């Protein structure tokens, strides 16, 4: 079937049948679980036919092609997760009523969890080694890029802790006040977002103890 589609596309490059054949080639790669090839095929098709009547299907399949390339562990390359998320977000923005949106949202959430999990792993590495400046930036990234994921609340908590610990390090003495002010803002943002969150009680006590308005 793949060879027939390629022959049709090459024999009639300017015919509408060639357009159909090009999409079918990507579909065949997808069904054969050749997801690198299907991703490239769908992306090329989208670039060449941006006004295709079923463009939402093409964007969805781009996302699915990358989603199916996600590794089973966090220590592997997660570039496919980022590309899957980009495709799913494009689908939601451009085609908010698409029939594929429900699955896309589910898979977007799963890809986001994987990326936020890797960021937490790196941030915790820095935190445990008292590299609080680097840790703070990683935790902040999780809260801004992956809000609502399982690591979101934890990241606010650790972000604030990182800033406070950083303010105590001699090399950051000149920015101590600014760092403590930022930590207070982080904790208050957490309480505004998660008034009954997992860390709400601890953060409230910490604010009462360390920040007097």
């Amino acid at each position: 079937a793949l060879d027939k589609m390629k022959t049709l596309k090459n024999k009639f490059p300017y015919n509408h049948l060639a357009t159909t054949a090009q999409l079918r080639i990507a579909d065949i790669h997808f069904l054969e679980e050749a997801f690198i090839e299907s991703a490239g095929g769908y992306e090329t098709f989208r670039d060449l036919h941006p006004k295709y009547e079923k463009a939402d299907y093409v964007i969805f399949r781009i996302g699915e092609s990358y989603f199916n390339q996600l590794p089973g562990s966090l220590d592997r390359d997660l570039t496919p997760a980022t590309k899957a998320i980009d495709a799913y977000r494009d689908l939601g923005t451009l085609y908010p009523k698409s029939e594929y949106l429900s699955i896309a949202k589910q898979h977007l959430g799963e890809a986001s969890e994987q990326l936020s999990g890797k960021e937490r792993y790196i941030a915790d590495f820095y935190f445990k080694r008292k590299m609080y400046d680097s840790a703070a930036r990683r935790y902040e990234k999780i809260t801004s890029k992956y809000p609502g994921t399982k690591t979101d609340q934890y990241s606010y908590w650790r972000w604030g802790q990182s800033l406070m610990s950083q303010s105590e390090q001699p090399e950051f003495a000149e920015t101590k006040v600014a760092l403590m002010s930022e930590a207070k803002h982080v904790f208050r943002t957490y309480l505004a977002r998660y008034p009954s969150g997992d860390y709400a009680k601890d953060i409230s006590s910490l604010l009462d103890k360390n920040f007097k308005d």
Side-chain angles (χ1 to χ4, degrees):
L2 184 59
D3 289 338
K4 290 181 179 179
M5 290 297 105
K6 288 181 177 180
T7 299
L8 180 60
K9 181 173 76 73
N10 294 330
K11 191 173 182 180
F12 306 102
Y14 304 108
N15 190 288
H16 73 280
L17 293 176
T19 301
T20 301
Q22 185 180 10
L23 182 58
R24 292 295 169 264
I25 289 171
D27 286 338
I28 292 170
H29 284 312
F30 187 89
L31 292 173
E32 292 180 345
E33 299 185 0
F35 296 118
I36 294 176
E37 290 80 4
S38 67
Y42 289 124
E43 287 177 326
T44 298
F45 185 91
R46 185 187 183 190
D47 290 340
L48 294 175
H49 310 285
K51 296 183 180 180
Y52 182 65
E53 61 182 353
K54 295 182 179 179
D56 62 329
Y57 168 81
V58 177
I59 297 173
F60 173 66
R61 277 299 181 93
I62 291 172
E64 291 293 276
S65 295
Y66 283 116
F67 181 79
N68 281 287
Q69 294 180 52
L70 294 185
S73 61
L74 297 178
D75 59 348
R76 304 286 296 279
D77 180 20
L78 294 184
T79 299
T82 300
K83 291 187 175 182
I85 289 172
D86 289 342
Y88 294 140
R89 286 176 175 168
D90 279 351
L91 178 66
T93 299
L94 298 173
Y95 303 97
K97 296 183 180 180
S98 172
E99 64 181 292
Y100 308 106
L101 199 57
S102 178
I103 296 176
K105 287 181 177 179
Q106 177 185 337
H107 288 176
L108 187 155
E110 292 177 28
S112 296
E113 289 290 354
Q114 197 164 31
L115 286 172
S116 65
K118 183 164 187 174
E119 289 296 334
R120 172 179 171 169
Y121 176 84
I122 297 170
D124 286 347
F125 174 88
Y126 288 134
F127 188 89
K128 291 174 182 177
R129 285 155 183 77
K130 299 182 179 181
M131 300 167 67
Y132 299 118
D133 183 32
S134 296
R137 282 186 268 116
R138 288 285 182 169
Y139 291 126
E140 179 184 10
K141 181 179 179 181
I142 294 172
T143 65
S144 62
K145 293 194 67 174
Y146 312 110
T149 57
K150 294 176 182 178
T151 58
D152 192 30
Q153 291 194 50
Y154 172 85
S155 296
Y156 272 107
W157 171 234
R158 281 298 202 201
W159 180 14
Q161 286 185 317
S162 296
L163 292 168
M164 291 182 65
S165 297
Q166 184 183 348
S167 74
E168 298 299 325
Q169 293 180 315
E171 61 267 38
F172 294 101
E174 293 184 1
T175 58
K176 178 180 177 68
V177 174
L179 288 168
M180 289 297 286
S181 178
E182 185 179 355
K184 180 170 66 173
H185 174 74
V186 169
F187 288 140
R188 285 182 170 174
T189 300
Y190 173 89
L191 292 176
R193 290 194 61 191
Y194 301 104
S196 301
D198 296 339
Y199 303 94
K201 184 176 180 180
D202 289 334
I203 286 176
S204 293
S205 296
L206 188 150
L207 285 171
D208 289 341
K209 180 180 179 180
N210 295 278
F211 302 96
K212 304 298 182 180
D213 292 329

